[in-house]
Amino acid sequence: MGDHVRRTLPVTALAGAGFVLLCDVIGRVIRFPYEVPVGTVAGVIGAAVFVWLVMRSAAGKEAHG
């Protein structure tokens, strides 16, 4: 979307709110009737995405020399 803050900010805010809502729902459902904190769920998802990005980057460097 570029550097246009007027267009980027609402999309970023809605995506962030949706992500936290999804993490909250997962935290409530994953171990019913107990709750897992939202920060823990977000951290696990974030760590998985980070590892995936690192592995993808490493694989791309091997393929290109």
Side-chain angles (χ1 to χ4, degrees), residues 41-59:
V41 177
V44 169
I45 292 172
V49 170
F50 178 74
V51 169
W52 175 72
L53 288 172
V54 168
M55 298 299 278
R56 189 180 75 163
S57 175

Side-chain angles (χ1 to χ4, degrees), residues 6-59:
R6 284 188 178 170
R7 284 190 283 168
T8 306
L9 188 61
V11 173
T12 303
L14 288 174
F19 176 69
V20 172
L21 180 63
L22 178 68
C23 289
D24 184 49
V25 170
I26 291 170
R28 290 174 188 264
V29 171
I30 198 167
R31 195 160 174 226
F32 186 78
Y34 304 106
E35 293 182 10
V36 178
V38 176
T40 303
V41 177
V44 169
I45 292 172
V49 170
F50 178 74
V51 169
W52 175 72
L53 288 172
V54 168
M55 298 299 278
R56 189 180 75 163
S57 175

